Amino acid sequence: MKTVMKPIEVIASFKVDGMSTPLKFRIQEQDSPTIIKVEHVCFRSEDKLAGNKMITFQCQSTINGLLKVFELKFEPSTGKWFLFKI
């Protein structure tokens, strides 16, 4: 996987205990935005990136007929989401 660390817009569901799950996200491509539906979250982990707490989601989706695995990162302190690896 290639590290890209691009900021993205995410629609996520949150449980009562605060646990989040990404449902779909929009990434700005060169000409127009692309919306990708998250079909499956393989695993979720918590780690630190540059001293900031991050929640990492390894996900998979079918994009253009191919199964793609990617990682999304959520920074709880700022509420920002990133496409980390593709």
Side-chain angles (χ1 to χ4, degrees), residues 33-51:
T34 302
I35 297 174
I36 298 172
K37 183 179 183 283
V38 176
E39 294 175 3
H40 179 67
V41 176
C42 302
F43 73 86
R44 173 185 193 265
S45 64
E46 292 184 19
D47 55 347
K48 287 194 175 191
L49 182 67

Side-chain angles (χ1 to χ4, degrees), residues 4 7 20-21 27 32 36 40 45 47 50-52 59 65 68 83 86:
V4 292
S20 62
T21 303
I27 185 164
S32 63
I36 298 172
H40 179 67
S45 64
D47 55 347
N52 297 326
C59 307
K68 299 280 187 176
L83 175 60
I86 53 173

Side-chain angles (χ1 to χ4, degrees), residues 1-32:
M1 282 196 264
K2 183 173 95 172
T3 302
V4 292
M5 199 62 172
K6 286 187 175 183
I8 55 174
E9 296 176 357
V10 175
I11 294 179
S13 67
F14 289 84
K15 293 185 180 178
V16 175
D17 63 0
M19 180 136 356
S20 62
T21 303
L23 301 175
K24 60 183 170 179
F25 66 93
R26 179 172 41 197
I27 185 164
Q28 184 67 37
E29 294 291 329
Q30 295 170 1
D31 295 335
S32 63

Side-chain angles (χ1 to χ4, degrees), residues 48-67:
K48 287 194 175 191
L49 182 67
N52 297 326
K53 179 182 172 186
M54 302 289 271
I55 302 171
T56 302
F57 299 89
Q58 186 176 40
C59 307
Q60 65 183 27
S61 293
T62 304
I63 303 169
N64 297 329
L66 298 171
L67 184 64

